[in-house]
Amino acid sequence: MTRPTSEMVDKEIKALTARLSVLQRREDDFARVVEDMVRLQNSIRAEREASSSQLTELESQKQPVNWLPSELLTEIFLIRAEDESADLAVGLPYNPAPVLISHVCRKWRELALATWRLWSFISYRTPRWKARPLFVFLERSGNSPIIFNFIASPASPSSNQDIPALEEEERTTSERIIDALKPQSHRVRSFTFECGFAKSMEEVLKAISQPYRQFYKLESLDLALSTLDPTFEGTHLLTYDALSVGSPGDEAGVLKHLRLQQMPLIVVPSYLVRTIRTLELSYPPKKSQSTRRHHFALKMSHLIQLLRHAPQLHELSMIGVTPVWDVVAKVSMDGQLSQSTIEPRHPKVVSSFELPQLTRLEWKCAYHRDIFPFMSLVVLPELERWDLLVAQCPAKRYDVTQFRGNHIHDQDSFIRAEPLSTVLTLHALKELNFSCQNEESLGYSLRQFIFPSLTKLDITFVGQHLRKEAALPSLSRLESIFRDPRLPLLTHLTISNFDIMAVHGRTMLGYMPNLLSLTLGACTGVDVVLDALAEAYGIAKRPGVYPRSCGVRVCPRLEELMLWNCIDFDFKMLWSTVYTRSVALDDDSEPDHDIFEAEAIASAVLGRTIRPLKKIRNTRSQQCGDTGPHAASGSSKSTLIPIEEALRPSRITCVQIEDCPQISEHEALSLERRGTVVMYR
């Protein structure tokens, strides 16, 4: 084979070089084309994504919720996150509301993550420890104030569950929760801790009672034991007195609300109690009234000690508070204490004290023997509203220490001490809501009180499930309920679930000359009340004038009548009541003003001339009457109705009828012809 010459090799190299140059140019051209295509593809993709996003945005505009601005959406989110009433949160170590909101759409997620307050509502509803959800919420809440709720399930395990293991698990979880919150304790504003075992609560009390006061900005504190009659074995809660910790000169906290459920009353430190405005004490009734070892027994001395440390208290709510009376009132007898203070078991001698700012008192499931002794010990000069539910006393007493009350004449009483006074006057009280499980407790509970300024009265019977008879209990005479039955300032009266006897109805209304609103609910004897309201003052007989009935005898200012679930009255009686209190006007004539002159009608009714009495000037002794809390005198205002008001009663402007099947809607609406607004349901 002939070897190629150098000229031939150079020629081939030159040809291949030229070919490679052409191929490189073509490759570069293709690369530019591909790059342009990729760029075009990316541009088309971006345009498609923008169009798709715009389409989604336009589609979302069809939903009215997306019309709301972000600020309003944030407020709605906060309301939803704060409400934990839904069952969705049960058993979860976090508040599900912010999580669900952040998973709805991209806009809502961005808005949720940017709102620190949304993650500050921290909920932990399981006794098992799970750290990640708690720390995520603490991180996302930023620097916003924290509202923390720990609610463990009630400790009612089945037979195959280990009680000590559950107790230890809950205690460990409580301890770790407190450790996680300590670095953020300055941000905690509200703290709710509800557990089933007392050992878990001990960890919380240790934290809030620290000398350095880590939770010094706490505004609301709720401590509750969910187990009925829990045991405190293995804890120091029954003997620990946190109210005595610290001197009166220490700086007070900012706590405004305190709630204790089945907790000893003296476990909260004094620096927190001194500033509370609302106090709620809850103790569900026990199956047995006897006190067992390592179980809590509410003592009156502890209740008094707690209230003495709360001078700024505005509202007090006591549910199921039936304390053991381990105190006696300090009564002076010739400069010495009463001999009743020297009793077995060494009761404590206490004096009355004042809560100057308390305006509302709620006491549910109280025993009637506890009411007057407690109210005698606590002076309430500004009390305006009193909600009282009197429970039926247990028929059997299990322990001598459970005898209630402070009654010198009661031989069954454990402590027979001199009462502070026989009568207590609540000068500022304007609204009284009284409920009872036994009709006899009406007189037992209120006979030692006088209410000179009462404007609203609600009397309800709630013990129908305890009665053997199917009929409603009879409402006692007002003279048997109150020491002074005269209620000259009363404007609103509500009676529910009572039988109003024929003799008592008219007499009761006669003590209420300024009554504006009357409500009768699920009562019998309503016809008696309507008959009293329809009774005319008399019949005027004048020469040349047709004899006619005029005026009313009771409640001339009544304007509103509400009847619900009352079935023993007919429409005729209701019509008569409305008609009697309306001025009869002809369609085409004006009323004869001379007929409506008060003195003329009174003279015609009584058959003699009526002259007005001279006004009596108040004496100095009347002006300087006793206004103390134990003043025995009642109101100086008379319950007599002036003739002018009796003869010119106010028109009943509103009648509400609900669940009264004997009254048809057509009949009820016919009252509107008398100028009355009718609401029929």
Side-chain angles (χ1 to χ4, degrees), residues 6-52:
S6 59
E7 291 81 0
M8 295 177 60
V9 173
D10 293 337
K11 184 177 181 180
E12 290 184 10
I13 290 175
K14 186 177 180 180
L16 290 174
T17 302
R19 186 177 180 183
L20 288 174
S21 178
V22 172
L23 292 175
Q24 182 65 39
R25 287 195 300 270
R26 294 182 62 184
E27 184 180 2
D28 293 340
D29 293 339
F30 278 115
R32 285 192 295 269
V33 171
V34 170
E35 184 178 354
D36 293 339
M37 295 297 293
V38 170
R39 188 182 301 109
L40 181 60
Q41 183 183 16
N42 293 336
S43 176
I44 294 175
R45 183 184 294 111
E47 186 177 357
R48 179 180 61 81
E49 291 177 355
S51 300
S52 178

Side-chain angles (χ1 to χ4, degrees), residues 611-619 622:
R611 295 192 179 99
L613 295 176
K614 296 181 179 180
K615 294 183 179 179
I616 302 177
R617 184 175 301 174
N618 292 333
T619 62
Q622 292 174 341

Side-chain angles (χ1 to χ4, degrees), residues 1 66 93 143 150 157 183 226 251 261 269 288 295 297 319 323 325 364 404 410 443 483 532 535 593 604 622:
M1 181 176 178
N66 293 316
N143 295 324
F150 173 75
S226 57
E251 182 182 357
Q261 177 178 328
S288 174
H295 287 254
I319 303 175
W325 282 84
K364 294 183 178 180
R404 314 293 190 193
D410 189 353
R483 187 179 186 90
E535 184 179 0
H593 294 280
Q622 292 174 341

Side-chain angles (χ1 to χ4, degrees), residues 353-389:
F353 63 98
E354 182 177 333
L355 294 177
Q357 301 182 29
L358 190 72
T359 59
R360 180 178 179 181
L361 173 60
E362 180 185 16
W363 196 354
K364 294 183 178 180
C365 299
Y367 291 159
H368 65 84
R369 293 189 176 187
D370 294 338
I371 297 173
F372 181 75
F374 174 78
M375 297 295 289
S376 299
L377 287 174
V378 185
V379 181
L380 307 174
E382 299 297 329
L383 183 63
E384 296 181 355
R385 177 173 175 176
W386 189 8
D387 299 326
L388 182 61
L389 192 158

Side-chain angles (χ1 to χ4, degrees), residues 409-430:
H409 301 296
D410 189 353
Q411 298 300 323
D412 293 333
S413 180
F414 166 52
I415 299 175
R416 299 186 301 277
E418 294 282 353
L420 293 180
S421 179
T422 57
V423 180
L424 182 64
T425 303
L426 301 178
H427 292 280
L429 190 70
K430 297 181 180 180

